[in-house]
Amino acid sequence: MNSKEFERRRRQLMRMVGADGIAILPAAPVRTRSRDVEYRYRQDSDFYYLTGFAEPEAVAVLVPGRAGGEFLLFCRERDRDKEQWDGIRAGQDGAINDHGADDAFPIDDIDDILPGIIEPCSRVYYTMGMYSDFDTRIADWVNSLRSGLSRGLHTPHEFVALDHLLHDMRLYKSRGEVAAMRRSAKVAVDAHKRAMQMTRPGLYEYEVEAEFRHEFRKNDAWVSYSPIVGGGANACTLHYVENNAELRDGDLLLIDAGCELDYYASDITRTYPVNGQFSPEQRAVYEIVLEAQLAAIEKTVPGNHWNEPHDAAVRAITLGLRKLGLIAGSLPKLIKDGAYRQFYMHRTGHWIGMDVHDVGDYKVGDEWRVLETGMVTTVEPGIYIPGKRNIPKKFRNIGIRIEDDVAITAKGPDVLSKGLVKDPDGIEALMQS
Ligand code: CA
């Protein structure tokens, strides 16, 4: 993302914050994985969205209209010894020269400097409850001003939920963001193709998972969530991540895997036969899911509300399950009673962006949100048939999901992950190539 885009975002937010407000955002803390080993650092999405600054131990402050600078960055100081161990730091000069800060201060001086910057402001925009340690520090800074009231210090009289403004901004992706998401989807598409071409009976699920990690790192991307690689009945466990079973001839393999590239996520699912050939029953169920997914994508257009794609998927799945003889009754009653839920128990999509399950409200008041250009959602219906006795044996333990990432545009649904085959004949052809 180029620096102009970060600047544009800050300006947009500052217009909403207003001249007497201040917005404060902390960087994500470093997290411990085990003992003295840390997780690889990943910046907080809100913080990165406004700053493009990837270092920990930083605080961004937006003070619209402040004469001495509107965008302030508190960050680590340059330190030759520490940089020898942990890598280069931007320092205050880097914050100003490379990240667009109007002014920058050492993070260790924040207690002395920030209260004075907060003082003249009436409203503090801040996301409470995200990082509890930082919540306490915000309270301490404001309280330090309160205790100075008798000395004539001013104090903000209102806290406003920053996430409410920021997450609505993040829901609408710019052209640059959609392009970044298309690149992220392309890397995941290539990884899924690799996996399809190498899958065969006798491999273990983790061996297929390795193809994803290889392709992601080869492209400077990381997994955006733990890949789900589930053969046979494992496909029916929605969040299966053990990925340690042997792939068996005659089973299906469900893979839900995506990457994060340049802070933008992809999230793709495909299901295909381990031996490269769908059985008639597998194909019959697969075609229902595919039809449901295509029907849902068709409804992913401006002016429809959030739930219309889901309604379309539910209708197609209910019709299909009835045709297979797995449920019986009239269509309206089956839908009303939720008969499909024993086979399709999740929603048809979620917002996707910098976070896999991205920010943004699905309802406005009591009403479903209306879809608009710039929003990006997954479309991912599925059917999961339990291995129960009342189910005909040939259908037992079939789990199928098909998921793509779809940008909503005035020209219709823009499937960012469209390079990846999903019709059953195409899958069989690719697997045999
Ligand atoms: Ca997924």
Side-chain angles (χ1 to χ4, degrees):
M1 212 52 61
N2 71 37
S3 60
K4 283 226 166 55
E5 175 124 8
F6 294 112
E7 193 187 330
R8 184 186 59 72
R9 294 167 180 172
R10 290 194 295 270
R11 283 197 191 293
Q12 190 183 342
L13 181 66
M14 284 197 280
R15 274 199 297 277
M16 294 189 272
V17 165
D20 56 348
I22 181 169
I24 304 172
L25 299 98
V30 172
R31 305 266 193 208
T32 302
R33 180 178 182 276
S34 174
R35 206 166 147 79
D36 63 349
V37 174
E38 292 159 355
Y39 282 105
R40 182 177 176 273
Y41 186 71
R42 201 283 196 176
Q43 188 55 279
D44 175 87
S45 295
D46 284 345
F47 185 95
Y48 193 85
Y49 180 79
L50 292 173
T51 64
F53 192 72
E55 290 183 26
E57 295 180 73
V59 173
V61 180
L62 298 176
V63 230
R66 181 173 173 273
E70 298 182 322
F71 170 35
L72 314 176
L73 204 51
F74 291 86
C75 59
R76 302 179 300 186
E77 285 183 275
R78 299 294 307 267
D79 180 321
R80 191 177 295 186
D81 289 340
K82 290 193 171 140
E83 290 181 33
Q84 167 84 62
W85 290 89
D86 300 322
I88 301 286
R89 301 171 168 191
Q92 286 66 51
D93 288 345
I96 292 168
N97 298 329
D98 304 328
H99 296 277
D102 296 314
D103 210 346
F105 309 97
I107 187 71
D108 292 335
D109 295 346
I110 195 166
D111 289 331
D112 298 328
I113 296 171
L114 189 53
I117 295 170
I118 297 174
E119 200 225 318
C121 303
S122 307
R123 278 167 288 114
V124 177
Y125 289 77
Y126 173 67
T127 301
M128 198 67 76
M130 188 68 182
Y131 305 114
S132 56
D133 289 354
F134 202 79
D135 289 355
T136 311
R137 299 189 70 190
I138 289 268
D140 287 347
W141 291 324
V142 172
N143 284 335
S144 75
L145 293 172
R146 290 214 171 112
S147 65
L149 281 177
S150 58
R151 286 183 276 126
L153 282 183
H154 177 269
T155 179
H157 54 75
E158 201 182 341
F159 274 94
V160 186
L162 175 62
D163 45 338
H164 193 70
L165 303 181
L166 203 48
H167 293 178
D168 211 59
M169 278 174 65
R170 281 178 52 194
L171 176 57
Y172 296 86
K173 276 74 178 170
S174 68
R175 210 187 278 203
E177 288 184 287
V178 173
M181 294 187 69
R182 202 184 303 280
R183 288 193 293 273
S184 177
K186 171 78 168 63
V187 173
V189 162
D190 289 345
H192 275 272
K193 280 185 188 163
R194 266 180 89 106
M196 272 186 204
Q197 284 175 306
M198 67 89 72
T199 294
R200 55 186 154 76
L203 285 183
Y204 280 78
E205 291 162 346
Y206 52 76
E207 293 180 271
V208 183
E209 176 185 340
E211 296 296 306
F212 285 85
R213 294 188 184 267
H214 178 97
E215 188 69 22
F216 291 169
R217 289 307 298 132
K218 214 165 63 115
N219 288 279
D220 198 15
W222 297 88
V223 292
S224 50
Y225 52 95
S226 293
I228 296 168
V229 183
N234 294 337
C236 295
T237 302
L238 297 178
H239 289 160
Y240 176 79
V241 289
E242 283 80 5
N243 301 352
N244 56 7
E246 188 176 350
L247 298 176
R248 291 186 323 198
D249 201 347
D251 277 351
L252 290 175
L253 174 61
L254 182 153
I255 300 182
D256 185 339
C259 65
E260 180 178 300
L261 178 65
D262 197 17
Y263 280 85
Y264 285 88
S266 48
D267 181 356
I268 303 177
T269 308
R270 287 294 184 269
T271 310
Y272 48 91
V274 168
N275 64 14
Q277 204 91 50
F278 285 94
S279 75
E281 292 76 25
Q282 288 167 348
R283 186 181 271 258
V285 180
Y286 188 93
E287 278 171 350
I288 296 166
V289 179
L290 182 56
E291 200 178 312
Q293 204 229 11
L294 296 175
I297 289 174
E298 203 174 303
K299 296 284 185 188
T300 307
V301 290
N304 278 353
H305 66 64
W306 166 255
N307 215 42
E308 283 181 67
H310 181 65
D311 288 341
V314 161
R315 190 186 147 82
I317 284 173
T318 304
L319 273 171
L321 290 171
R322 191 177 68 171
K323 209 168 120 192
L324 294 181
L326 293 172
I327 54 176
S330 80
L331 183 67
K333 184 159 167 26
L334 285 170
I335 290 176
K336 189 165 152 279
D337 295 348
Y340 59 88
R341 282 202 199 104
Q342 50 181 315
F343 304 102
Y344 178 38
M345 59 298 286
H346 60 76
R347 308 263 333 153
T348 299
H350 52 78
W351 303 131
I352 180 167
M354 294 181 76
D355 288 295
V356 179
H357 292 172
D358 207 31
V359 294
D361 293 329
Y362 294 99
K363 280 191 168 178
V364 180
D366 287 337
E367 302 290 321
W368 291 112
R369 183 158 209 144
V370 172
L371 302 178
E372 293 178 61
T373 296
M375 297 174 178
V376 185
T377 178
T378 64
V379 180
E380 48 173 316
I383 292 179
Y384 314 90
I385 305 177
K388 288 186 189 158
R389 282 198 171 177
N390 61 338
I391 306 279
K393 205 168 175 196
K394 56 190 181 176
F395 288 120
R396 285 181 204 165
N397 293 320
I398 289 181
I400 295 169
R401 175 164 69 255
I402 307 171
E403 173 178 30
D404 285 298
D405 304 339
V406 181
I408 295 154
T409 82
K411 288 188 208 146
D414 180 3
V415 181
L416 304 179
S417 44
K418 70 176 164 227
L420 185 57
V421 61
K422 61 184 171 186
D423 70 280
D425 291 337
I427 286 174
E428 287 181 351
L430 181 67
M431 290 186 74
Q432 273 141 38
S433 68

